[in-house]
Amino acid sequence: MRAVVRTAAVAATALALLLTGCAGDGDDGTDGKIRIRFQSLAWQKESVDINKQLVKEWNASHPDIEVQYVQGSWDSVHDQLLTSFEGNEAPDVIHDASDDLADFAYGGYLADLRKLLPNRLTDDIPAQSWQTATFDGGVYGVPFLQEPRVLIANTRILKDSGVRIPTPEKPWSWPEFRQVTKQLTGKGRYGVAWPLKEPVSVTLNLGLSAGGQLFHRRADGKVAIETGEGDQVVPGTIHDQVNTDHSAARTALGMGGGDTLPGLFGGKYAMVPLGFSYRQQVVEQAPKGFEWTVLPAPAGTGGLAQGVSPQTLSVAEDSPHKKEAVEFIDFLLRPANMVRLAKGDWMLPTGTAALADPSLHTADRGWATGAALAAALRPAPAQSVRGYPEWKDKVATPALQEYYSGAIDSGELKKRLVEDGKRVLARYQR
């Protein structure tokens, strides 16, 4: 694995090197202060401002431990971290997502936090969230923000159609959802638009609601790929909406989530499945008078369950100040601060105390719907699987794209996901 990491590190961009700063930036100074670098991936202005404000508040109350804010980017974080780890220049506190941690954890680049975390924090975050950052028994990140996938819908179109409006208590089933999208489809309008430029996480995460799993860990610790009836429900529904019912827009299959919003605003799509945080873009971009609502994703034999890969805070294994770094993480994730971070990113906190905050349970802008889904969120099916990134990029993404477009059938899809997938994973499980 070190060889793989080193090869990838060489390919990282010069911009990534600039983001980490030089190795001495976080060293103790002659003034006796401990200096910790915190690399944040916040990108929306509101979120960046809150992160910087929290750093300012920490520094004001901890004169002997100075935290230096470093701005990172989601677009380049994986390669940038590979480079910084190999060059012994990694930030002390690392903001990332749980599905990006496995190779770093197994490669020895992240600190095992089990003996460093305070009981307050470990008790406040539910066990299913901790599972997302646990690899081979060690805990390599603190999951703190998460977002369910929801349906953002045009309220007027729903009301005019007379369809049953789902709630977290009585969601649509997958067959009912398919029927509803047919009812919502009319002249110049599709019932749903699936933005599937990146189809793998959507398919796997929503598949949990139908009892799908795909990746199964055996007693010897190795992972097997097996498809069952539940694994067919979500991809089959999407495929049939596009190719049989024509209730889903074919042109949306190559889009990112934000690309579908103009069509939603213009009445071309009645609904769009999106991450919970897209509500902010709706608020900022929707034309005056546009009425919208947030609905739960469909449910199946697994209820409302869906996979998530929470945002995480980790500590570099090479950091000389692990104890202080964890103290800063604990400060950032105090309930009141976690609420601030969640609202800044329009996401949900993982902490039970923060999630109970009344401001996250209002009907306004769908907060209550999202909060009601929090208990059903589970670790993404593949995030602890070594070799998953390669399987996703080389096998699953092209196979799902061809299946959703109608170029291949379900039998060929299964063959590629399973048989080609086994060959990829075998290299990581020798």
mmCIF file with all atom_site columns, all heavy atoms in Angstrom, residues 212-224:
data_model
loop_
_atom_site.group_PDB
_atom_site.id
_atom_site.type_symbol
_atom_site.label_atom_id
_atom_site.label_alt_id
_atom_site.label_comp_id
_atom_site.label_asym_id
_atom_site.label_entity_id
_atom_site.label_seq_id
_atom_site.pdbx_PDB_ins_code
_atom_site.Cartn_x
_atom_site.Cartn_y
_atom_site.Cartn_z
_atom_site.occupancy
_atom_site.B_iso_or_equiv
_atom_site.pdbx_formal_charge
_atom_site.auth_seq_id
_atom_site.auth_comp_id
_atom_site.auth_asym_id
_atom_site.auth_atom_id
_atom_site.pdbx_PDB_model_num
ATOM 1   N N   . GLY A 1 212 ? -30.553 -3.833  0.067  1.00 0.00 ? 212 GLY A N   1
ATOM 2   C CA  . GLY A 1 212 ? -29.341 -4.095  -0.692 1.00 0.00 ? 212 GLY A CA  1
ATOM 3   C C   . GLY A 1 212 ? -28.097 -3.889  0.157  1.00 0.00 ? 212 GLY A C   1
ATOM 4   O O   . GLY A 1 212 ? -28.105 -3.089  1.098  1.00 0.00 ? 212 GLY A O   1
ATOM 5   N N   . GLN A 1 213 ? -27.034 -4.564  -0.191 1.00 0.00 ? 213 GLN A N   1
ATOM 6   C CA  . GLN A 1 213 ? -25.784 -4.433  0.546  1.00 0.00 ? 213 GLN A CA  1
ATOM 7   C C   . GLN A 1 213 ? -24.583 -4.508  -0.388 1.00 0.00 ? 213 GLN A C   1
ATOM 8   O O   . GLN A 1 213 ? -23.662 -3.738  -0.294 1.00 0.00 ? 213 GLN A O   1
ATOM 9   C CB  . GLN A 1 213 ? -25.666 -5.507  1.627  1.00 0.00 ? 213 GLN A CB  1
ATOM 10  C CG  . GLN A 1 213 ? -24.446 -5.379  2.521  1.00 0.00 ? 213 GLN A CG  1
ATOM 11  C CD  . GLN A 1 213 ? -24.486 -4.169  3.437  1.00 0.00 ? 213 GLN A CD  1
ATOM 12  O OE1 . GLN A 1 213 ? -25.570 -3.714  3.819  1.00 0.00 ? 213 GLN A OE1 1
ATOM 13  N NE2 . GLN A 1 213 ? -23.325 -3.619  3.763  1.00 0.00 ? 213 GLN A NE2 1
ATOM 14  N N   . LEU A 1 214 ? -24.593 -5.474  -1.292 1.00 0.00 ? 214 LEU A N   1
ATOM 15  C CA  . LEU A 1 214 ? -23.589 -5.714  -2.323 1.00 0.00 ? 214 LEU A CA  1
ATOM 16  C C   . LEU A 1 214 ? -22.250 -6.174  -1.754 1.00 0.00 ? 214 LEU A C   1
ATOM 17  O O   . LEU A 1 214 ? -21.724 -7.203  -2.156 1.00 0.00 ? 214 LEU A O   1
ATOM 18  C CB  . LEU A 1 214 ? -23.383 -4.478  -3.207 1.00 0.00 ? 214 LEU A CB  1
ATOM 19  C CG  . LEU A 1 214 ? -22.614 -4.738  -4.513 1.00 0.00 ? 214 LEU A CG  1
ATOM 20  C CD1 . LEU A 1 214 ? -23.351 -5.719  -5.399 1.00 0.00 ? 214 LEU A CD1 1
ATOM 21  C CD2 . LEU A 1 214 ? -22.355 -3.437  -5.270 1.00 0.00 ? 214 LEU A CD2 1
ATOM 22  N N   . PHE A 1 215 ? -21.698 -5.431  -0.797 1.00 0.00 ? 215 PHE A N   1
ATOM 23  C CA  . PHE A 1 215 ? -20.428 -5.827  -0.195 1.00 0.00 ? 215 PHE A CA  1
ATOM 24  C C   . PHE A 1 215 ? -20.693 -6.548  1.119  1.00 0.00 ? 215 PHE A C   1
ATOM 25  O O   . PHE A 1 215 ? -21.389 -6.031  2.003  1.00 0.00 ? 215 PHE A O   1
ATOM 26  C CB  . PHE A 1 215 ? -19.549 -4.601  0.052  1.00 0.00 ? 215 PHE A CB  1
ATOM 27  C CG  . PHE A 1 215 ? -19.063 -3.944  -1.211 1.00 0.00 ? 215 PHE A CG  1
ATOM 28  C CD1 . PHE A 1 215 ? -19.799 -2.935  -1.817 1.00 0.00 ? 215 PHE A CD1 1
ATOM 29  C CD2 . PHE A 1 215 ? -17.877 -4.342  -1.806 1.00 0.00 ? 215 PHE A CD2 1
ATOM 30  C CE1 . PHE A 1 215 ? -19.355 -2.336  -2.982 1.00 0.00 ? 215 PHE A CE1 1
ATOM 31  C CE2 . PHE A 1 215 ? -17.420 -3.746  -2.977 1.00 0.00 ? 215 PHE A CE2 1
ATOM 32  C CZ  . PHE A 1 215 ? -18.158 -2.746  -3.565 1.00 0.00 ? 215 PHE A CZ  1
ATOM 33  N N   . HIS A 1 216 ? -20.113 -7.729  1.266  1.00 0.00 ? 216 HIS A N   1
ATOM 34  C CA  . HIS A 1 216 ? -20.338 -8.547  2.457  1.00 0.00 ? 216 HIS A CA  1
ATOM 35  C C   . HIS A 1 216 ? -18.989 -8.958  3.039  1.00 0.00 ? 216 HIS A C   1
ATOM 36  O O   . HIS A 1 216 ? -18.173 -9.577  2.350  1.00 0.00 ? 216 HIS A O   1
ATOM 37  C CB  . HIS A 1 216 ? -21.161 -9.785  2.104  1.00 0.00 ? 216 HIS A CB  1
ATOM 38  C CG  . HIS A 1 216 ? -22.478 -9.464  1.459  1.00 0.00 ? 216 HIS A CG  1
ATOM 39  N ND1 . HIS A 1 216 ? -23.649 -9.310  2.178  1.00 0.00 ? 216 HIS A ND1 1
ATOM 40  C CD2 . HIS A 1 216 ? -22.805 -9.232  0.156  1.00 0.00 ? 216 HIS A CD2 1
ATOM 41  C CE1 . HIS A 1 216 ? -24.635 -9.025  1.346  1.00 0.00 ? 216 HIS A CE1 1
ATOM 42  N NE2 . HIS A 1 216 ? -24.157 -8.971  0.118  1.00 0.00 ? 216 HIS A NE2 1
ATOM 43  N N   . ARG A 1 217 ? -18.771 -8.630  4.313  1.00 0.00 ? 217 ARG A N   1
ATOM 44  C CA  . ARG A 1 217 ? -17.510 -8.987  4.961  1.00 0.00 ? 217 ARG A CA  1
ATOM 45  C C   . ARG A 1 217 ? -17.619 -10.378 5.573  1.00 0.00 ? 217 ARG A C   1
ATOM 46  O O   . ARG A 1 217 ? -18.494 -10.650 6.386  1.00 0.00 ? 217 ARG A O   1
ATOM 47  C CB  . ARG A 1 217 ? -17.134 -7.959  6.030  1.00 0.00 ? 217 ARG A CB  1
ATOM 48  C CG  . ARG A 1 217 ? -15.683 -8.105  6.507  1.00 0.00 ? 217 ARG A CG  1
ATOM 49  C CD  . ARG A 1 217 ? -15.272 -6.902  7.340  1.00 0.00 ? 217 ARG A CD  1
ATOM 50  N NE  . ARG A 1 217 ? -15.233 -5.671  6.558  1.00 0.00 ? 217 ARG A NE  1
ATOM 51  C CZ  . ARG A 1 217 ? -14.200 -5.311  5.801  1.00 0.00 ? 217 ARG A CZ  1
ATOM 52  N NH1 . ARG A 1 217 ? -13.144 -6.096  5.702  1.00 0.00 ? 217 ARG A NH1 1
ATOM 53  N NH2 . ARG A 1 217 ? -14.223 -4.172  5.148  1.00 0.00 ? 217 ARG A NH2 1
ATOM 54  N N   . ARG A 1 218 ? -16.703 -11.246 5.187  1.00 0.00 ? 218 ARG A N   1
ATOM 55  C CA  . ARG A 1 218 ? -16.712 -12.626 5.653  1.00 0.00 ? 218 ARG A CA  1
ATOM 56  C C   . ARG A 1 218 ? -16.021 -12.747 7.007  1.00 0.00 ? 218 ARG A C   1
ATOM 57  O O   . ARG A 1 218 ? -15.420 -11.794 7.514  1.00 0.00 ? 218 ARG A O   1
ATOM 58  C CB  . ARG A 1 218 ? -16.014 -13.520 4.624  1.00 0.00 ? 218 ARG A CB  1
ATOM 59  C CG  . ARG A 1 218 ? -16.647 -13.456 3.237  1.00 0.00 ? 218 ARG A CG  1
ATOM 60  C CD  . ARG A 1 218 ? -16.089 -14.495 2.296  1.00 0.00 ? 218 ARG A CD  1
ATOM 61  N NE  . ARG A 1 218 ? -14.629 -14.539 2.286  1.00 0.00 ? 218 ARG A NE  1
ATOM 62  C CZ  . ARG A 1 218 ? -13.895 -14.631 1.186  1.00 0.00 ? 218 ARG A CZ  1
ATOM 63  N NH1 . ARG A 1 218 ? -14.490 -14.683 0.008  1.00 0.00 ? 218 ARG A NH1 1
ATOM 64  N NH2 . ARG A 1 218 ? -12.571 -14.690 1.241  1.00 0.00 ? 218 ARG A NH2 1
ATOM 65  N N   . ALA A 1 219 ? -16.086 -13.939 7.583  1.00 0.00 ? 219 ALA A N   1
ATOM 66  C CA  . ALA A 1 219 ? -15.504 -14.184 8.904  1.00 0.00 ? 219 ALA A CA  1
ATOM 67  C C   . ALA A 1 219 ? -13.999 -13.958 8.910  1.00 0.00 ? 219 ALA A C   1
ATOM 68  O O   . ALA A 1 219 ? -13.432 -13.578 9.949  1.00 0.00 ? 219 ALA A O   1
ATOM 69  C CB  . ALA A 1 219 ? -15.834 -15.602 9.362  1.00 0.00 ? 219 ALA A CB  1
ATOM 70  N N   . ASP A 1 220 ? -13.335 -14.189 7.769  1.00 0.00 ? 220 ASP A N   1
ATOM 71  C CA  . ASP A 1 220 ? -11.884 -14.001 7.715  1.00 0.00 ? 220 ASP A CA  1
ATOM 72  C C   . ASP A 1 220 ? -11.484 -12.550 7.479  1.00 0.00 ? 220 ASP A C   1
ATOM 73  O O   . ASP A 1 220 ? -10.298 -12.233 7.324  1.00 0.00 ? 220 ASP A O   1
ATOM 74  C CB  . ASP A 1 220 ? -11.265 -14.894 6.628  1.00 0.00 ? 220 ASP A CB  1
ATOM 75  C CG  . ASP A 1 220 ? -11.777 -14.557 5.227  1.00 0.00 ? 220 ASP A CG  1
ATOM 76  O OD1 . ASP A 1 220 ? -12.574 -13.608 5.090  1.00 0.00 ? 220 ASP A OD1 1
ATOM 77  O OD2 . ASP A 1 220 ? -11.373 -15.247 4.271  1.00 0.00 ? 220 ASP A OD2 1
ATOM 78  N N   . GLY A 1 221 ? -12.477 -11.648 7.439  1.00 0.00 ? 221 GLY A N   1
ATOM 79  C CA  . GLY A 1 221 ? -12.210 -10.229 7.265  1.00 0.00 ? 221 GLY A CA  1
ATOM 80  C C   . GLY A 1 221 ? -12.192 -9.767  5.829  1.00 0.00 ? 221 GLY A C   1
ATOM 81  O O   . GLY A 1 221 ? -12.203 -8.558  5.565  1.00 0.00 ? 221 GLY A O   1
ATOM 82  N N   . LYS A 1 222 ? -12.156 -10.697 4.880  1.00 0.00 ? 222 LYS A N   1
ATOM 83  C CA  . LYS A 1 222 ? -12.161 -10.324 3.478  1.00 0.00 ? 222 LYS A CA  1
ATOM 84  C C   . LYS A 1 222 ? -13.579 -9.969  3.019  1.00 0.00 ? 222 LYS A C   1
ATOM 85  O O   . LYS A 1 222 ? -14.556 -10.395 3.625  1.00 0.00 ? 222 LYS A O   1
ATOM 86  C CB  . LYS A 1 222 ? -11.587 -11.452 2.627  1.00 0.00 ? 222 LYS A CB  1
ATOM 87  C CG  . LYS A 1 222 ? -10.103 -11.703 2.879  1.00 0.00 ? 222 LYS A CG  1
ATOM 88  C CD  . LYS A 1 222 ? -9.543  -12.752 1.933  1.00 0.00 ? 222 LYS A CD  1
ATOM 89  C CE  . LYS A 1 222 ? -8.040  -12.933 2.148  1.00 0.00 ? 222 LYS A CE  1
ATOM 90  N NZ  . LYS A 1 222 ? -7.471  -13.939 1.219  1.00 0.00 ? 222 LYS A NZ  1
ATOM 91  N N   . VAL A 1 223 ? -13.655 -9.195  1.937  1.00 0.00 ? 223 VAL A N   1
ATOM 92  C CA  . VAL A 1 223 ? -14.938 -8.704  1.445  1.00 0.00 ? 223 VAL A CA  1
ATOM 93  C C   . VAL A 1 223 ? -15.325 -9.442  0.172  1.00 0.00 ? 223 VAL A C   1
ATOM 94  O O   . VAL A 1 223 ? -14.502 -9.617  -0.737 1.00 0.00 ? 223 VAL A O   1
ATOM 95  C CB  . VAL A 1 223 ? -14.879 -7.189  1.180  1.00 0.00 ? 223 VAL A CB  1
ATOM 96  C CG1 . VAL A 1 223 ? -16.160 -6.706  0.513  1.00 0.00 ? 223 VAL A CG1 1
ATOM 97  C CG2 . VAL A 1 223 ? -14.640 -6.433  2.474  1.00 0.00 ? 223 VAL A CG2 1
ATOM 98  N N   . ALA A 1 224 ? -16.558 -9.884  0.122  1.00 0.00 ? 224 ALA A N   1
ATOM 99  C CA  . ALA A 1 224 ? -17.103 -10.526 -1.070 1.00 0.00 ? 224 ALA A CA  1
ATOM 100 C C   . ALA A 1 224 ? -18.161 -9.629  -1.688 1.00 0.00 ? 224 ALA A C   1
ATOM 101 O O   . ALA A 1 224 ? -18.877 -8.917  -0.976 1.00 0.00 ? 224 ALA A O   1
ATOM 102 C CB  . ALA A 1 224 ? -17.703 -11.881 -0.717 1.00 0.00 ? 224 ALA A CB  1
#
